[in-house]
């Protein structure tokens, strides 16, 4: 389903602006937000008690969605990522950032005229020297023509976001919830449609440049939780958007991620991560679990739990 077709299936506005703290969905939605808040508060309290015993007083502590995901995948990987937060600057990661820029351009200025130069202009305007350097590097490679064609296809796909009608669209919106002044849960949703101050409840859209993966839905559910905690109300809907791939003939698609039950379940996932983190801070030996995530781990080559195949080093680590 295309993005515009999916948006057309959502309920029409009530005519009354939605303000922070209002719940435009149901009483059950408000109860779920309250349940999630209680789950997180209890987990934060337990985590703080463990760290207090160790003399840690640096609050609030940032617990990112990436950290929550990594600690559930492999505790050792989470430790490695915490020590070095840099991600390998692969073409896959780069094209994801490029797609975010093209979506922003489509929303505010329509079609991209030159995928490379418009991308450069966007990153100059938003003060992203590292991305500009990466762009120059990719365009100087032997496969620059293929990469330019890939960027052109991404820019063409992003034009879908120029057809949002009268919806209020905000891009790369920060969503940061603080629990008991001790735990900060930072996040950023690619596109926030409507929400507080508009006639419609919020709709979240996370833009992905790769093919669909299971962890994409988990990431979006986490952002739904953050939006509910920050706004005090449940988002009306959430979806993952993929631009498609002309070379493999995979179509553009918009995949809805149900919001019912999402806020409480994501809060429990964060609570589980906090419990593990507290134990690791106290000195428990981290567990190692093999999986596709081993691709990005610098210890994969020497880890007995790692899947064999492509490692972090072979991808430029």
């Amino acid at each position: 389903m295309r993005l515009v077709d999916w948006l057309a299936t959502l309920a029409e506005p009530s005519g009354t602006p939605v303000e922070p703290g209002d719940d435009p969905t149901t009483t059950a939605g408000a109860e779920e937000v309250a349940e999630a808040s209680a789950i997180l508060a209890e987990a934060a309290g337990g985590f703080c008690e463990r760290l207090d015993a160790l003399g840690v007083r640096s609050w609030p502590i940032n617990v990112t969605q990436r950290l929550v995901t990594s600690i559930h995948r492999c505790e050792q990987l989470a430790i490695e990522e915490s020590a070095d937060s840099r991600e390998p600057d692969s073409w896959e990661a780069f094209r994801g950032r490029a797609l975010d820029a093209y979506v922003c351009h489509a929303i505010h200025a329509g079609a991209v005229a030159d995928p490379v130069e418009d991308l450069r202009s966007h990153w100059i305007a938003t003060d992203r020297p590292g991305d500009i350097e990466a762009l120059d590097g990719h365009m100087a490679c032997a496969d620059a023509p293929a990469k330019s064609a890939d960027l052109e296809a991404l820019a063409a796909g992003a034009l879908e976001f120029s057809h949002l009608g009268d919806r209020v669209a905000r891009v790369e919106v920060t969503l940061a919830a603080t629990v008991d002044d001790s735990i900060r849960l930072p996040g950023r949703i690619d596109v926030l449609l409507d929400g507080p101050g508009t006639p419609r409840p919020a709709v979240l859209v996370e833009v992905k440049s790769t093919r669909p993966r299971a962890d994409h839905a988990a990431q979006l559910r986490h952002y739904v939780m953050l939006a509910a905690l920050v706004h005090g109300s449940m988002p009306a809907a959430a979806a993952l958007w993929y631009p498609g791939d002309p070379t493999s003939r995979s179509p553009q698609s918009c995949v809805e991620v149900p919001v019912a039950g999402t806020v409480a379940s994501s809060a429990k996932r964060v609570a589980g991560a906090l419990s593990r983190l507290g134990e690791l801070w106290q000195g428990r030996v981290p567990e190692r679990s093999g999986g596709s995530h081993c691709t990005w781990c610098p210890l994969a080559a020497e880890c007995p739990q790692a899947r064999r195949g492509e490692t972090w080093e072979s991808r430029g680590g």
Side-chain angles (χ1 to χ4, degrees):
M1 179 182 292
R2 298 180 68 89
L3 175 65
V4 291
D5 295 333
W6 174 70
L7 290 173
T9 68
L10 304 181
E12 285 302 305
S14 63
T16 302
V18 178
E19 299 298 337
D22 291 346
D23 191 334
T25 51
T26 63
T27 302
E31 292 174 350
E32 186 177 344
V33 175
E35 179 187 1
S37 297
I39 291 170
L40 291 171
E42 181 178 357
F47 181 75
C48 291
E49 286 180 7
R50 291 179 187 271
L51 268 61
D52 280 340
L54 299 173
V56 177
R57 298 289 187 276
S58 180
W59 311 113
I61 292 178
N62 277 341
V63 178
T64 65
Q65 183 272 333
R66 181 182 177 188
L67 176 58
V68 171
T69 297
S70 294
I71 200 119
H72 283 295
R73 284 175 168 174
C74 175
E75 293 177 351
Q76 186 64 57
L77 174 62
I79 291 174
E80 295 302 318
E81 289 182 339
S82 296
D84 184 357
S85 60
R86 295 173 302 170
E87 294 185 14
D89 194 18
S90 63
W91 176 245
E92 178 181 300
F94 177 86
R95 68 196 301 273
R97 300 194 298 275
L99 181 58
D100 288 342
Y102 293 144
V103 167
C104 180
H105 193 287
I107 290 173
H108 296 297
V112 168
D114 186 317
V116 174
E117 293 308 315
D118 284 1
L119 189 57
R120 188 191 311 278
S121 297
H122 176 83
W123 282 336
I124 290 174
T126 54
D127 192 21
R128 303 276 287 271
D131 285 331
I132 296 170
E133 182 180 356
L135 174 62
D136 290 339
H138 286 302
M139 292 301 101
C141 293
D143 57 351
K147 289 181 174 179
S148 293
D150 192 10
L151 292 178
E152 184 176 359
L154 289 177
L159 194 58
E160 179 81 357
F161 283 85
S162 66
H163 306 298
L164 299 177
D166 62 347
R167 289 186 177 273
V168 177
R170 285 157 281 190
V171 297
E172 298 185 333
V173 178
T174 297
L175 299 170
T178 302
V179 184
D180 291 346
D181 296 323
S182 58
I183 302 297
R184 184 175 181 271
L185 304 174
R188 189 186 67 184
I189 186 69
D190 288 331
V191 181
L192 176 65
L193 299 177
D194 303 316
T198 76
R200 297 183 178 96
V203 174
L204 277 59
V205 181
E206 184 68 7
V207 174
K208 293 297 180 185
S209 62
T210 65
R211 293 185 178 183
R213 299 200 308 255
D215 60 324
H216 291 169
Q219 179 185 10
L220 181 53
R221 286 193 291 267
H222 187 88
Y223 293 160
V224 168
M225 175 195 71
L226 293 182
L229 294 173
V230 170
H231 298 154
S233 60
M234 290 282 287
L240 296 160
W241 180 82
Y242 300 90
D245 184 355
T247 58
S248 63
R249 297 184 179 180
S250 60
Q252 182 183 118
S253 63
C254 181
V255 181
E256 183 169 7
V257 175
V259 299
T262 288
V263 176
S265 63
S266 293
K268 291 175 183 177
R269 184 173 172 80
V270 173
L274 288 175
S275 177
R276 290 188 176 204
L277 282 171
E279 293 173 0
L280 292 172
W281 272 70
Q282 289 183 316
R284 177 171 65 76
V285 176
E287 297 178 359
R288 297 188 180 194
S289 306
S292 59
H293 50 271
C294 295
T295 300
W296 304 106
C297 182
L299 301 181
E302 61 190 52
C303 177
Q305 298 298 326
R307 289 182 175 179
R308 297 308 171 193
E310 192 175 29
T311 64
W312 187 77
E313 288 90 343
S314 68
R315 297 190 67 157

